């Protein structure tokens, strides 16, 4: 069981370039989400999905797009990279126990630097 | 503006000591309060979680204390070990799966 797989692990972009961060899960989880982690700010929600074909914005969505064509995959697209998007990005998938517990599994992260 | 405020930013504890991390929230609609542990270069991993209908939950050396009236909750790490050295995040969510995280606390356990 691989869990949540993120690629690439490291990436350097030039300002204005676009790229896609890949995320795949093999646990058949309904929910998937993208967070960014910045020093002193914890993790902030970028976009999330409650199932294939359904996505919505989180706390910091500007400059990012997502789509969810399958249960397994939830790619994050940076449209035109800016230095402010330098961060560590985490993909997570989760389930609901139906009793208010949400079992999150995070990927190992993508460290992105925009120069 | 962070919905969950976490303190301290970092702490150092001797092996065998107790580490205490505190979190406070404002949104009374929050009803699920997990703690995550993160090692360098890894993603966060769920450590322990509590719901507001209980005041304390213990799993091994880790205990969550929850004070609903004060809108505060805390993590206690008993008998701290060098392997506990990590960054800890508190979080909260309200009847859905979207988590609001605290800023994190870096814990260093000195042998």
């Amino acid at each position: 069981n691989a869990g949540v797989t993120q690629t690439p692990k490291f990436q350097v972009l030039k300002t204005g370039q676009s790229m896609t961060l890949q995320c795949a899960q093999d646990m058949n989880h309904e929910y998937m989400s993208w967070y960014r982690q910045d020093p002193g700010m914890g993790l902030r929600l970028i976009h999330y999905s409650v199932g294939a074909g359904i996505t919505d914005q989180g706390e910091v969505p500007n400059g990012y797009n997502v789509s969810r064509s399958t249960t397994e995959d939830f790619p994050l697209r940076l449209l035109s990279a800016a230095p402010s998007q330098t961060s560590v990005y985490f993909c997570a998938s989760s389930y609901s126990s139906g009793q208010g517990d949400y079992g999150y599994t995070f990927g190992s992260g993508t460290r992105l630097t925009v120069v | 503006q962070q919905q969950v405020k976490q303190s301290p930013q970092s702490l150092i504890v001797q092996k065998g000591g107790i580490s205490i991390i505190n979190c406070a929230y404002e949104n009374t609609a929050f009803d699920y309060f997990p703690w995550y542990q993160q090692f360098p270069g890894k993603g966060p991993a769920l450590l322990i979680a509590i719901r507001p209908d209980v005041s304390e939950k213990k799993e091994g050396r880790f205990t969550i204390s929850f004070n609903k009236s004060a809108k505060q909750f805390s993590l206690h790490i008993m008998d701290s070990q060098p392997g506990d050295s990590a960054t800890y995040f508190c979080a909260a969510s309200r009847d859905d799966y979207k988590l609001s995280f605290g800023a994190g606390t870096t814990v260093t356990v000195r042998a």
Side-chain angles (χ1 to χ4, degrees), chain B residues 87-110:
Chain B
T87 300
Y88 293 82
F89 293 96
C90 61
S93 71
R94 53 184 180 117
D95 196 29
D96 62 21
Y97 57 91
K98 292 180 288 182
L99 293 173
S100 294
F101 283 86
T105 298
T106 301
V107 173
T108 303
V109 182
R110 294 264 166 86

Side-chain angles (χ1 to χ4, degrees), chain A residues 31-33 35 37 40-45 48-50 57 59 90 94 99-109, chain B residues 1-2 9 31-32 36 38 41-46 49 51 87 89 93-104:
Chain A
Y31 310 120
M32 296 188 74
S33 47
Y35 288 84
Q37 183 176 16
M41 303 194 73
L43 289 88
R44 292 179 293 168
L45 181 64
Y48 64 97
S49 169
V50 299
Q57 297 181 351
E59 182 184 353
F90 288 100
S94 55
Q99 298 171 349
D101 293 336
Y102 301 99
Y104 266 70
T105 300
F106 282 85
S108 57
Chain B
Q1 181 180 356
Q2 281 194 299
Q9 188 174 15
D31 64 355
Y32 176 65
Y36 284 82
Q38 184 181 32
K42 303 293 186 183
L46 180 64
R51 296 186 62 79
T87 300
F89 293 96
S93 71
R94 53 184 180 117
D95 196 29
D96 62 21
Y97 57 91
K98 292 180 288 182
L99 293 173
S100 294
F101 283 86

Side-chain angles (χ1 to χ4, degrees), chain B residues 35-91:
Chain B
W35 285 87
Y36 284 82
Q37 179 187 56
Q38 184 181 32
F39 294 105
K42 303 293 186 183
L46 180 64
L47 189 62
I48 185 173
I50 197 169
R51 296 186 62 79
D53 51 347
V54 298
S55 59
E56 186 174 281
K57 183 175 182 179
K58 183 176 181 180
E59 289 185 2
R61 295 183 293 107
F62 300 91
T63 300
I64 301 178
S65 298
F66 187 83
N67 186 330
K68 188 174 181 178
S69 60
K71 292 183 286 186
Q72 295 175 348
F73 58 110
S74 60
L75 177 70
H76 292 61
I77 307 174
M78 313 300 286
D79 186 26
S80 296
Q81 299 297 312
D84 297 332
S85 296
T87 300
Y88 293 82
F89 293 96
C90 61

Side-chain angles (χ1 to χ4, degrees), chain A residues 25 27-32 49-52 68 71 94-96:
Chain A
Q25 55 99 358
M27 297 170 285
N28 202 32
H29 284 171
E30 293 177 75
Y31 310 120
M32 296 188 74
S49 169
V50 299
R68 186 137 177 235
T71 299
S94 55
Y95 65 87
S96 171

